[in-house]
């Protein structure tokens, strides 16, 4: 890889932005395609599909010759607000999916290392905790699970402002209706608020914490794979789990 290409790739990595390296196996030539420039690229649809899948591989170029597309995307950070039973069930599943999990909750009785061994745990209010995590971005997923507006709402506001890849909130439709009122008063329009998956999780009839955790992660993966990160189009919200 040429030094200028490597430097450009490292800059995208540092900024937590996706990029692709397109290599011609015939002559060894390479070029970097930034995520924001995919649609203007001659191989745009093929590159977008590779980025959505997260898998590198050979594709057919415009002249019929194969080119190798290497996908470089930041790891998805998963911020869970609320050290509750559902959050405990999320831990092993999120690890298997390669998600960079952080649990935040100012309630120290819940946010204890004994309940979340080996997990990055921040026992602070969301405003301070999110500063410690670093800027939220398009490769961040956030789930608000406390049922407490004082804890959930600031995190949801931060996620909406950052245009996070996935945003979900636990609660019944009545709970979410009140949440919508508060977020509207905070200045968000219907389109922005509509990005929140609430009630959170796919409709699989989930009842137990483990089942709800599974429904949340299934919805998160479906949202990412349908291109929420790359093209900013909203995936359909089939969320039903959570009461």
């Amino acid at each position: 890889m040429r030094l200028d290409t490597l430097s450009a790739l490292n800059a995208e990595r540092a900024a937590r932005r996706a990029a692709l390296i397109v290599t011609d196996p015939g002559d060894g030539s390479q070029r970097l395609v930034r995520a924001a420039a995919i649609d203007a690229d001659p191989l745009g649809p093929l590159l977008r599909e590779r980025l959505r899948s997260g898998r590198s591989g050979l594709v057919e170029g415009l002249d019929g010759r194969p080119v190798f597309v290497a996908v470089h995307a930041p790891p998805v950070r998963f911020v869970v607000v609320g050290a509750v039973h559902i959050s405990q069930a999320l831990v092993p599943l999120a690890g298997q999916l390669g998600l960079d999990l952080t649990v935040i909750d100012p309630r120290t009785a819940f946010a204890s290392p004994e309940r979340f061994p080996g997990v990055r745990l921040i026992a602070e209010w969301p405003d301070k905790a999110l500063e410690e995590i670093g800027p939220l971005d398009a490769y961040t997923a956030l789930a608000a699970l406390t049922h407490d507006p004082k804890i959930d709402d600031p995190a949801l506001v931060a996620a909406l402002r950052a245009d996070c890849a996935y945003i979900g909130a636990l609660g019944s439709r009545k709970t979410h209706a009140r949440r919508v009122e508060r977020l509207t008063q905070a200045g968000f329009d219907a389109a922005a608020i509509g990005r929140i998956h609430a009630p959170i999780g796919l409709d699989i009839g989930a009842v137990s914490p483990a089942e709800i955790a599974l429904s949340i992660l299934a919805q998160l993966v479906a949202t990412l794979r349908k291109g929420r990160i790359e093209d900013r189009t909203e995936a359909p919200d089939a969320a039903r789990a959570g009461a």
Side-chain angles (χ1 to χ4, degrees):
M1 187 180 295
R2 296 200 316 260
L3 182 58
D4 58 342
T5 303
L6 179 59
S7 297
L9 177 59
N10 285 337
E12 295 304 292
R13 285 171 169 168
R16 283 183 53 82
R17 293 190 296 259
L20 304 99
I21 301 292
V22 181
T23 303
D24 185 330
D27 58 18
S29 61
Q30 291 184 320
R31 60 188 180 89
L32 179 140
V33 181
R34 294 174 174 83
I38 286 178
D39 289 337
D41 192 272
L43 297 177
L46 294 173
L47 298 182
R48 185 165 296 285
E49 183 56 36
R50 282 289 167 181
L51 184 54
R52 283 175 178 166
S53 71
R55 292 181 294 189
S56 303
L58 286 170
V59 301
E60 185 175 316
L62 295 178
D63 57 1
R65 296 171 56 190
V67 294
F68 186 84
V69 178
V71 178
H72 298 270
V76 176
R77 297 183 299 186
F78 188 22
V79 178
V80 176
V81 180
V84 296
H85 292 309
I86 297 171
S87 307
Q88 289 177 297
L90 281 169
V91 172
L93 296 173
Q96 292 179 47
L97 291 173
L99 299 172
D100 180 9
L101 179 68
T102 299
V103 177
I104 64 177
D105 196 322
R107 304 169 300 183
T108 54
F110 293 91
S112 67
E114 292 76 21
R115 297 183 73 233
F116 291 89
V119 176
R120 185 182 186 190
L121 192 62
I122 304 178
E124 299 284 355
W125 289 90
D127 291 344
K128 186 172 182 180
L130 293 177
E131 287 181 6
E132 185 173 332
I133 292 171
L136 304 182
D137 56 29
Y139 281 87
T140 302
L142 183 139
L145 306 179
T146 72
H147 277 296
D148 186 340
K150 298 190 302 297
I151 302 174
D152 286 347
D153 284 8
L156 293 171
V157 166
L160 288 172
R161 287 175 176 166
D163 202 18
C164 286
Y166 172 87
I167 308 171
L170 189 69
S172 66
R173 289 179 178 81
K174 281 188 177 180
T175 296
H176 187 58
R178 293 192 292 270
R179 183 185 293 125
V180 168
E181 291 177 1
R182 295 192 301 271
L183 292 174
T184 300
Q185 292 173 1
F188 292 98
D189 61 22
I193 298 171
R195 292 190 47 234
I196 301 173
H197 294 273
I200 197 170
L202 292 182
D203 183 8
I204 62 172
V207 176
S208 69
E211 291 172 346
I212 296 173
L214 177 63
S215 75
I216 291 170
L217 288 174
Q219 187 177 61
L220 189 161
V221 170
T223 302
L224 300 186
R225 291 298 183 224
K226 289 178 180 177
R228 175 68 187 92
I229 283 178
E230 290 82 30
D231 61 19
R232 322 311 278 171
T233 58
E234 183 57 83
D237 185 1
R240 294 294 183 274

